[in-house]
Amino acid sequence: MWIRTQCKQQLVKIIRITVERNIGSKNKAALVGQFGDSSLFQSNQTVLGEYKTKEDALAELTSIQEAIAKGQDSVYQVK
């Protein structure tokens, strides 16, 4: 699925999304997307969005899941 990040600076084809703790930020949770196989020298993850609570991040993940379930073949804009 193609996803445009919350900051609108990246458009990435994501193969996996996780909710992670966001340490060192006022926002406590982040959606992190994996966009390819891991490499020893290159990161294969990017932050899709940051949220005040884990519940907010999970709600956004649910929205992404619903878009996938509907078979939407468009770009999803992270909120």
Side-chain angles (χ1 to χ4, degrees):
M1 171 177 230
W2 284 97
I3 296 182
R4 188 166 186 183
T5 57
Q6 191 178 52
C7 67
K8 300 182 180 168
Q9 294 182 3
Q10 293 183 33
L11 185 65
V12 289
K13 189 166 187 176
I14 297 298
I15 59 173
R16 179 180 169 182
I17 301 171
T18 57
V19 175
E20 298 185 10
R21 287 181 39 201
N22 197 17
I23 299 170
S25 173
K26 65 178 179 175
N27 294 314
K28 301 299 180 195
L31 282 183
V32 177
Q34 180 180 345
F35 54 84
D37 293 332
S38 60
S39 168
L40 183 61
F41 301 106
Q42 187 176 15
S43 173
N44 66 342
Q45 296 182 343
T46 189
V47 174
L48 302 174
E50 295 182 353
Y51 303 90
K52 290 183 180 182
T53 66
K54 182 178 180 180
E55 290 74 23
D56 291 341
L58 287 171
E60 184 64 12
L61 184 60
T62 298
S63 295
I64 294 170
Q65 176 185 344
E66 291 169 354
I68 293 169
K70 291 178 183 175
Q72 292 179 334
D73 195 27
S74 59
V75 175
Y76 184 88
Q77 172 65 58
V78 175
K79 298 174 188 98

